[in-house]
Amino acid sequence: MTSIGILGAGRVGTNLARTLSAAGHDVTVGRRKNGDGRDTPPADGTTFRYADHSTTARSADIVINATPGDTTLERLTSLRAEIAGKILIDVSNATRDADDGLPGELCHPGSSLAEQLQNALPDTHVVKTLNTMLFTVMTAPGELTIPPTAYLSGNDEQAKKTVTALLGDLGWQTDWIEDLGDITTARATEAMILVVPHVLRRHGFTPFAVSLAR
């Protein structure tokens, strides 16, 4: 069992929390404004807890960023001390919304959010993954008709091995995971978000992933 803190209580964070909790991990979901819900279980009966962002990051062994990518850098930089020495799994995409609310232009052209996070958090091991698919596929990859790909980018090899094992708890087979190399390779996978709004406009929110076919 690993203590996991998920920053972000939206669809992505909640989806990950339910699956990781069911796999036996100790999961806390961080909400920006926790209010009276501090450390209380969600109403649907699942076993993870809610707390504020600072408490969630400080108490976890592994932190998952599921906050909106366009505000992630500011939010996580303020948690530098809480995340120091830990693995930070970044599953977000930093884009500016188009007129219809779907992902638009990249916030960090020529770089990536993952690189910006690693530069801002030098004592944290940032690993980029799971950002190239609809959020439902993150925890149910086997439901697609074609095996999807989860790409990994990160500077620390041991951190990527730990994340690979955690992906296994989410249903990812080892041969579906592609280690691209260091954190600069996240530029490629983050740029894949540019195809997503076109797919969504044509097919809606049908589960999909941007995958490597061999």
Side-chain angles (χ1 to χ4, degrees), residues 98-155:
D99 291 339
D100 57 3
L102 293 177
E105 296 180 354
L106 298 174
C107 291
H108 305 287
S111 182
S112 64
L113 174 59
E115 289 174 85
Q116 298 297 314
L117 286 170
Q118 187 62 83
N119 289 336
L121 305 167
D123 298 323
T124 300
H125 306 301
V126 179
V127 178
K128 188 81 180 191
T129 192
L130 296 180
N131 63 304
T132 55
M133 62 201 68
L134 196 67
F135 74 95
T136 56
V137 179
M138 295 179 179
T139 59
E143 293 187 5
L144 297 184
T145 57
I146 298 172
T149 304
Y151 304 96
L152 288 181
S153 299
N155 294 339

Side-chain angles (χ1 to χ4, degrees), residues 136-203:
T136 56
V137 179
M138 295 179 179
T139 59
E143 293 187 5
L144 297 184
T145 57
I146 298 172
T149 304
Y151 304 96
L152 288 181
S153 299
N155 294 339
D156 188 274
E157 295 301 320
Q158 185 56 52
K160 287 191 286 187
K161 290 179 181 178
T162 300
V163 174
T164 296
L166 199 63
L167 290 177
D169 290 339
L170 294 174
W172 289 87
Q173 297 184 23
T174 303
D175 57 354
W176 297 352
I177 301 170
E178 188 74 19
D179 185 346
L180 297 179
D182 67 25
I183 201 66
T184 64
T185 63
R187 299 181 190 184
T189 57
E190 290 190 22
M192 291 179 184
I193 189 66
L194 297 177
V195 76
V196 169
H198 307 296
V199 173
L200 293 178
R201 290 185 187 109
R202 287 182 59 84
H203 302 288

Side-chain angles (χ1 to χ4, degrees), residues 2-72:
T2 301
S3 175
I4 299 173
I6 301 176
L7 303 178
R11 293 179 298 180
V12 175
T14 301
N15 184 48
L16 289 168
R18 288 195 177 107
T19 305
L20 290 169
S21 178
H25 296 289
D26 181 19
V27 179
T28 302
V29 174
R31 297 187 291 198
R32 196 169 191 179
K33 294 181 180 179
N34 198 50
D36 295 334
R38 184 185 300 268
D39 296 325
T40 58
D44 63 6
T46 50
T47 57
F48 62 87
R49 299 176 300 279
Y50 288 120
D52 58 51
H53 279 187
S54 179
T55 301
T56 298
R58 185 171 55 251
S59 61
D61 299 318
I62 296 174
V63 178
I64 299 176
N65 171 49
T67 64
D70 59 340
T71 60
T72 284

